[in-house]
C-alpha cells in the first residue's frame, strides 16, 4: 500500500475507499486532477509520465512534485444518483478491493453561476443534498440552463470571482474554479461512456503543491518551442505546430496556459485560461506576468528575486540533462495571495518605521525582517505524458543533448521577469 493511501486510510479507518474531490486550484491542462487528501493529488496514470517519475534524476526532484504511488479509481453513484470518483489500493497491494458504500456522499450537482462582470459573486446552493431531494422538478427545469451556462463558461477566457469580505478567504476558495470544473466533468463523462467496458483506472499520486498556501495564486506556463510528442499522429503534430506558431511559444518558447490570482485590492480572484494565453503577444505575455505578481494594489516585488533564483537553478539543472525532451510539459509558479505580517528582529516600533526596503535582506543584521507565515514562491515542472529520454528503451526516436526549446523558454522567462523587476524599481 502506498504511504499516501495508508495515511488517508488512517484518517478514515472505517472507509474502504477514498472519495476524491475536484482539485480547485487546477488552472490548466486537460487531464483531470483530483484531491486525494489535503497534501496529495491524483491524476490518470499515463505510462510515460509514470516512467518519468520512477526514473527521475535526483537533481530534478526539487523541481517536480513528489511522487507518492499508484491507486485504483472507479466511478460510483451516491444515494442521490450523483457520480463520485473513489480511490482504492491497487489489487495485490492490499488484498481484495471491495466496493465502498457512498450513500452518505455529498452530492456533486451544485449549480455554479460565473460572470465576467467584476461586481457579481459566485452563487452555490447552501444545502445541495436537501435541495436535490426536495426540488427534483425544479432541478430538471434548470438543468438546461446549467448546460447553457457551462457552454458559455468554456468560451469565456477571463473570469472574475468576487470573494466576500466577511469570513475566511481560503474557505471561500473551495468552490470549483472554471477550469477544474470543466476537467472534472469531462473526466466523469469519459469514465461513464466507458463504463460498460471498463470501470477501473490507475491514477498516480502526487504532492499537492498548493497545500501550504492559504490563498494560492497559480500560473501555468506551457514550456518549449514544440509541444507534440514523437508518437503524435501527423494530424496532431500539425495541430500542435500551428498552436505554437500562432502563440508566443514560437517566439519566446513559453506561453500562458492558465492563471489564478487573488487581487486583494478588489477582493477578487481572476482566472485566465489557455485560450486567452494563446492569443497573447510577447508584450501581452509580459503584461500577464505583471498581473500575476500584482495584487490589485501594488506589485509583489518581494517575490521576483526568489522566482528568478529558482528559474536560474532549474535552467542549470536542465542544461546538465542528456537526451530528455519535455514536450507539452508545463511550469507552475505558485505563491500565497495572502500576505503575512513581518516583524523585525531585535527592534522596536520606532526603528521599524525608519527602515528602508533594502534593510529587509540578510545583511541588515538585527533589523532583518522575519516573515510570520509562508510567503515564499514555488517553481515546479509538471505534466510529463509526452516526455522522452534515451533511458526509455521502447522509444523509436532518441534525442541527444539538451532540451533546447525548454531551456530557451526558461531564459525568455528569466529575461521578462528581470525586466519587470528592473522597471518596477527593485
Amino acid at each position: 500500500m502506498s504511504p499516501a493511501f495508508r495515511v488517508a486510510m488512517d484518517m478514515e479507518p472505517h472507509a474502504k475507499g477514498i472519495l476524491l474531490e475536484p482539485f480547485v486550484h487546477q488552472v490548466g491542462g486537460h487531464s483531470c486532477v483530483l484531491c486525494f487528501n489535503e497534501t496529495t493529488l491524483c491524476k490518470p496514470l499515463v505510462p510515460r509520465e509514470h516512467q518519468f517519475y520512477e526514473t527521475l534524476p535526483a537533481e530534478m526532484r526539487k523541481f517536480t512534485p513528489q511522487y507518492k504511488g499508484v491507486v485504483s479509481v472507479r466511478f460510483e453513484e451516491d444515494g442521490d444518483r450523483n457520480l463520485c470518483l473513489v480511490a482504492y489500493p491497487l489489487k495485490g497491494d492490499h488484498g481484495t478491493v471491495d466496493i465502498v458504500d457512498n450513500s452518505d456522499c455529498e452530492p456533486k450537482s451544485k449549480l455554479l453561476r460565473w460572470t465576467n462582470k467584476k461586481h457579481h459573486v459566485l452563487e452555490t446552493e447552501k444545502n445541495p443534498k436537501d435541495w436535490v431531494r426536495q426540488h427534483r422538478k425544479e432541478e430538471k427545469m434548470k438543468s438546461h440552463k446549467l448546460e447553457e451556462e457551462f457552454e458559455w463558461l468554456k468560451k469565456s477566457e477571463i473570469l472574475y470571482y468576487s470573494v466576500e469580505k466577511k469570513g475566511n478567504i481560503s474557505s471561500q476558495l473551495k468552490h470549483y474554479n472554471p477550469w477544474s470544473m470543466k476537467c472534472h466533468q469531462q473526466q466523469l463523462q469519459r469514465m461513464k461512456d466507458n463504463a460498460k467496458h471498463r470501470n477501473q483506472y490507475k491514477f498516480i499520486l502526487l504532492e499537492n503543491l498548493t497545500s501550504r498556501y492559504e490563498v494560492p495564486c497559480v500560473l501555468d506556463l506551457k514550456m518549449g518551442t514544440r509541444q507534440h510528442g514523437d508518437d503524435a499522429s501527423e494530424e496532431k503534430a500539425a495541430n500542435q505546430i500551428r498552436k505554437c506558431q500562432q502563440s508566443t511559444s514560437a517566439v519566446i518558447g513559453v506561453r500562458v496556459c492558465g492563471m489564478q490570482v487573488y487581487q486583494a485590492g478588489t477582493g477578487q480572484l481572476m482566472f485566465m485560461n489557455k485560450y486567452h494565453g494563446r492569443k497573447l503577444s510577447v508584450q501581452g505575455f509580459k503584461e500577464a506576468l505583471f498581473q500575476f505578481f500584482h495584487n490589485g494594489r501594488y506589485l509583489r516585488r518581494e517575490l521576483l528575486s526568489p522566482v528568478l533564483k529558482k528559474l536560474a537553478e532549474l535552467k542549470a539543472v536542465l542544461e546538465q540533462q542528456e537526451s530528455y525532451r519535455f514536450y507539452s510539459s508545463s511550469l507552475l509558479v505558485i505563491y500565497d495571495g495572502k500576505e503575512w505580517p513581518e516583524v523585525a528582529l531585535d527592534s522596536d516600533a520606532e526603528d521599524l518605521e525608519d527602515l528602508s526596503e533594502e534593510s529587509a535582506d540578510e545583511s541588515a543584521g538585527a533589523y532583518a525582517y522575519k516573515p510570520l507565515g509562508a510567503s515564499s514562491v514555488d517553481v515546479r515542472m509538471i505534466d510529463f505524458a509526452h516526455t522522452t529520454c534515451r533511458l526509455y528503451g521502447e522509444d523509436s526516436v532518441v534525442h541527444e543533448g539538451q532540451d533546447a526549446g525548454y531551456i530557451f523558454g526558461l531564459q525568455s522567462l528569466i529575461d521578462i521577469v528581470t525586466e519587470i523587476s528592473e522597471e518596477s524599481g527593485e
Side-chain angles (χ1 to χ4, degrees), residues 18-20 34 73-75 84-87 184 187-188 191:
I18 304 299
L19 180 66
L20 303 176
L34 300 161
V73 173
R74 58 185 296 160
F75 82 88
C84 303
L85 293 175
V86 183
H184 186 252
Q187 180 68 36
L188 278 173
M191 295 175 74

Side-chain angles (χ1 to χ4, degrees), residues 306-331:
V307 166
L308 287 171
K309 181 180 179 181
K310 290 179 182 293
L311 291 175
E313 290 176 355
L314 174 58
K315 180 171 176 283
V317 167
L318 293 188
E319 286 173 341
Q320 298 171 4
Q321 305 308 313
E322 286 287 328
S323 184
Y324 274 101
R325 295 295 181 274
F326 302 100
Y327 299 134
S328 198
S329 178
S330 284
L331 190 69

Side-chain angles (χ1 to χ4, degrees), residues 164-337:
E164 295 181 12
K165 298 296 184 181
K166 60 182 179 180
N168 190 315
I169 295 176
S170 60
S171 66
Q172 297 180 50
L173 301 183
K174 299 304 180 185
H175 304 294
Y176 307 156
N177 72 24
W179 199 258
S180 66
M181 185 176 80
K182 174 183 176 180
C183 292
H184 186 252
Q185 289 197 6
Q186 288 177 338
Q187 180 68 36
L188 278 173
Q189 189 60 50
R190 283 193 296 267
M191 295 175 74
K192 183 179 179 181
D193 292 343
N194 293 331
K196 291 182 180 179
H197 310 287
R198 180 188 182 196
N199 187 20
Q200 189 119 341
Y201 297 80
K202 288 183 179 180
F203 277 51
I204 59 173
L205 298 173
L206 298 170
E207 173 188 6
N208 179 0
L209 299 173
T210 68
S211 63
R212 66 191 181 99
Y213 300 109
E214 187 155 344
V215 186
C217 294
V218 184
L219 176 64
D220 186 321
L221 299 170
K222 187 70 73 173
M223 301 299 296
T225 53
R226 169 181 159 175
Q227 301 303 322
H228 62 281
D230 293 322
D231 59 345
S233 65
E234 288 187 14
E235 181 181 2
K236 184 171 183 179
N239 187 42
Q240 293 293 347
I241 291 171
R242 176 181 54 81
K243 290 176 183 177
C244 288
Q245 290 175 339
Q246 295 176 353
S247 70
T248 55
S249 292
V251 184
I252 57 175
V254 55
R255 71 173 184 257
V256 173
C257 193
M259 182 193 299
Q260 167 182 301
V261 59
Y262 178 62
Q263 301 175 321
T266 57
Q268 293 177 326
L269 275 169
M270 188 276 284
F271 299 97
M272 180 186 295
N273 68 24
K274 66 179 182 181
Y275 302 111
H276 186 76
R278 289 177 191 167
K279 297 177 182 178
L280 295 174
S281 63
V282 174
Q283 180 60 29
F285 176 87
K286 179 179 177 180
E287 291 170 358
L289 244 61
F290 181 90
Q291 186 173 22
F292 176 68
F293 290 110
H294 200 285
N295 69 359
R297 292 194 298 249
Y298 53 83
L299 186 69
R300 294 284 301 275
R301 293 185 298 171
E302 78 280 6
L303 301 171
L304 301 182
S305 290
V307 166
L308 287 171
K309 181 180 179 181
K310 290 179 182 293
L311 291 175
E313 290 176 355
L314 174 58
K315 180 171 176 283
V317 167
L318 293 188
E319 286 173 341
Q320 298 171 4
Q321 305 308 313
E322 286 287 328
S323 184
Y324 274 101
R325 295 295 181 274
F326 302 100
Y327 299 134
S328 198
S329 178
S330 284
L331 190 69
L332 288 187
V333 182
I334 312 169
Y335 71 88
D336 204 333

Side-chain angles (χ1 to χ4, degrees), residues 52-74:
F52 170 80
Y53 279 112
E54 290 201 318
T55 60
L56 180 66
E59 60 271 22
M60 287 188 62
R61 287 176 188 162
K62 65 182 292 187
F63 294 106
T64 61
Q66 180 188 357
Y67 167 66
K68 299 186 177 185
V70 181
V71 292
S72 176
V73 173
R74 58 185 296 160

